[in-house]
Amino acid sequence: MSGYQDKIKETAKRLLKEGSVEMVIGFRKGTLPMMNEPCFIRRPEDVHQLVWDSNCGINLANYLTDRKEKIAIVAKGCDSRNIVTHIIENKIKREKLHIIGVPCQGMVDKRKVAALCAGDIENVTEDGDVLTVTCQGAEKKLSRKEMLQENCTLCIHRNPVLFDELVGEPVAEQTGIDRFAEVRRIEAMESQEKWQYFEDLLAPCVRCYACRNACPLCYCPTCFVDESKPQWVGKSQNPIDIRTFHFLRAYHCAGRCTDCGACERACPMGIKVRQFTSKLNKDVLEMFGWEAGMTLEQRPPLDTYKPNDPNDFIK
Amino acid sequence: MNLMEHMGIEPGRLQFSWISSAESTKFVEVVKDVTSSVKALGPNTTYKKQAVKVA
């Protein structure tokens, strides 16, 4: 992983120096441990800020929307798929991008780590599969693999699908993973049970819209929840309004979601927001054999018409 | 529709149909079907926003 970091810095420096890009989008250390933040580097002398470790879970494709300058962007597997989605949705031009692909081995879920440590975490370092967490003066060793975000444990596209250069050898993709076990568990429930499950799931929601803001798909100039003429959905804390927000937002991501986990990572209340999008991802895979962001050649199933599109639901 | 049912709307409460303006018989059939299946399910108790109570 640290090899990646040096390569990212080196590449960023080279690109900025030769002037082939105006800006590099990557990560730098955040003010808190495990909270790397996006950074925008415009001068070669600033590239030392760039970092790469297991806390780079934010999806950087989110910062590309409608950009006009030439940009180099650091992209994991999921980021690259969202870049593809951005390109086919005309939110950025391919020729404006220099994609620095990073083969990814999953990102650490800061909540999993925090749950195992009593008190504030002061520092986290990693070496291979070992995370060393300093918490109230005491050091604790954890397995990085066991601390991964749920979406990363279910990921089957760790290597970038679209890139101009890679910072390391492609990593082995995970195989034999049951990505939709959780969705099937809910599918097996009775309607009343399902209703209650989502009721409990969304109970802590404070409607801060962090999930929407972190999501690279949510780039509408005015989101439907912010509209007031007409007002599509109530703006209150009423459970029905909260539910309407979540399932409508999920529908807007149907056939576009790459399961990058940015929404879940951003949620301050730790709500498993992916419960909505995973169901749609499963459906779109079963009905159209589609996974978002894998190719520039094909239009997504929900913006094309084919005579054999499944339409059993229309009577 | 799948997601609606996935989050707890009873199957049959939400229905879609495509009816041409010339298909009057189909329209009547669909209306009959929808009303009878929704009646069988009974009143909607879940996805319903209660009016705000003012003291």
Side-chain angles (χ1 to χ4, degrees):
Chain A
M1 282 268 183
S2 60
Y4 287 1
Q5 183 167 315
D6 295 338
K7 193 77 198 297
I8 291 169
K9 285 182 187 173
E10 202 182 294
T11 313
K13 191 164 207 162
R14 189 192 77 228
L15 293 168
L16 286 167
K17 257 196 178 146
E18 68 189 23
S20 56
V21 302
E22 288 166 62
M23 173 168 81
V24 177
I25 306 183
F27 287 95
R28 70 173 167 215
K29 270 261 166 293
T31 45
L32 292 169
M34 299 189 287
M35 293 282 270
N36 287 352
E37 57 189 28
C39 74
F40 307 87
I41 308 277
R42 290 175 178 277
R43 299 182 308 174
E45 55 268 36
D46 293 335
V47 298
H48 64 273
Q49 293 180 20
L50 290 167
V51 297
W52 187 266
D53 57 24
S54 297
N55 306 302
C56 298
I58 291 171
N59 194 325
L60 293 181
N62 202 12
Y63 301 94
L64 289 178
T65 314
D66 292 331
R67 283 280 180 178
K68 300 286 180 260
E69 67 268 61
K70 182 94 199 229
I71 297 173
I73 182 168
V74 175
K76 312 180 279 292
C78 48
D79 299 26
S80 77
R81 291 172 62 199
N82 277 105
I83 294 171
V84 169
T85 306
H86 254 59
I87 296 169
I88 55 181
E89 291 176 358
N90 295 323
K91 296 317 285 178
I92 189 88
K93 288 207 165 64
R94 175 68 183 97
E95 54 275 19
K96 291 282 177 196
L97 291 177
H98 185 94
I99 303 166
I100 307 169
V102 184
C104 173
Q105 299 199 27
M107 291 295 151
V108 164
D109 183 342
K110 57 181 188 292
R111 281 188 202 92
K112 276 190 191 168
V113 177
L116 294 174
C117 305
D120 289 341
I121 294 168
E122 287 140 30
N123 193 27
V124 179
T125 53
E126 59 180 283
D127 183 18
D129 189 47
V130 184
L131 288 181
T132 310
V133 184
T134 317
C135 177
Q136 298 194 316
E139 276 197 0
K140 194 172 191 165
K141 303 241 184 250
L142 296 170
S143 155
R144 200 187 78 88
K145 270 201 189 91
E146 287 166 22
M147 293 296 120
L148 291 185
Q149 292 180 183
E150 189 187 60
N151 65 304
C152 296
T153 63
L154 303 176
C155 175
I156 52 166
H157 300 291
R158 292 177 146 184
N159 294 302
V161 294
L162 183 72
F163 54 84
D164 293 286
E165 56 188 298
L166 277 183
V167 298
E169 288 301 307
V171 293
E173 295 289 1
Q174 307 191 97
T175 49
I177 292 171
D178 185 4
R179 288 164 61 210
F180 300 115
E182 189 61 14
V183 180
R184 275 199 306 275
R185 189 177 70 82
I186 299 165
E187 278 172 346
M189 293 179 184
E190 288 295 318
S191 291
Q192 198 56 45
E193 243 181 305
K194 287 177 179 166
W195 185 268
Q196 197 53 48
Y197 173 81
F198 283 101
E199 204 76 350
D200 298 341
L201 181 81
L202 297 177
C205 178
V206 292
R207 287 189 79 173
C208 64
Y209 301 141
C211 45
R212 176 199 66 183
N213 294 351
C215 179
L217 302 172
C218 282
Y219 53 64
C220 293
T222 309
C223 176
F224 72 100
V225 292
D226 296 329
E227 286 263 18
S228 49
K229 270 185 178 179
Q231 184 178 309
W232 305 106
V233 51
K235 294 172 192 290
S236 72
Q237 280 297 107
N238 181 298
I240 295 294
D241 289 340
I242 293 178
R243 185 183 287 248
T244 308
F245 157 60
H246 281 282
F247 92 80
L248 268 182
R249 194 189 86 81
Y251 267 128
H252 291 177
C253 303
R256 306 164 68 220
C257 175
T258 59
D259 203 19
C260 71
C263 46
E264 225 164 80
R265 187 184 178 88
C267 179
M269 310 306 286
I271 298 171
K272 293 164 111 190
V273 195
R274 286 173 45 254
Q275 292 295 11
F276 290 92
T277 46
S278 340
K279 165 66 178 163
L280 291 167
N281 289 351
K282 175 172 179 280
D283 283 353
V284 87
L285 183 65
E286 284 169 1
M287 289 194 239
F288 302 97
W290 174 261
E291 284 183 294
M294 297 305 292
T295 170
L296 287 170
E297 308 301 318
Q298 214 183 329
R299 294 304 304 175
L302 295 182
D303 78 359
T304 43
Y305 167 73
K306 288 203 188 90
N308 60 351
D309 280 345
N311 61 355
D312 303 340
F313 67 97
I314 297 177
K315 284 185 194 149
Chain B
M1 184 162 90
N2 286 354
L3 181 62
M4 295 290 280
E5 288 175 4
H6 188 67
M7 66 171 203
I9 305 290
E10 303 97 320
R13 196 176 286 288
L14 177 66
Q15 301 190 25
F16 292 84
S17 193
W18 185 274
I19 310 167
S20 150
S21 57
E23 295 177 308
S24 55
T25 343
K26 184 178 174 189
F27 180 76
V28 173
E29 270 167 26
V30 170
V31 170
K32 277 184 185 158
D33 275 2
V34 172
T35 42
S36 68
S37 63
V38 173
K39 268 183 189 157
L41 285 168
N44 171 26
T45 52
T46 48
Y47 206 2
K48 189 169 135 190
K49 196 169 162 182
Q50 302 293 337
V52 180
K53 283 206 180 84
V54 184

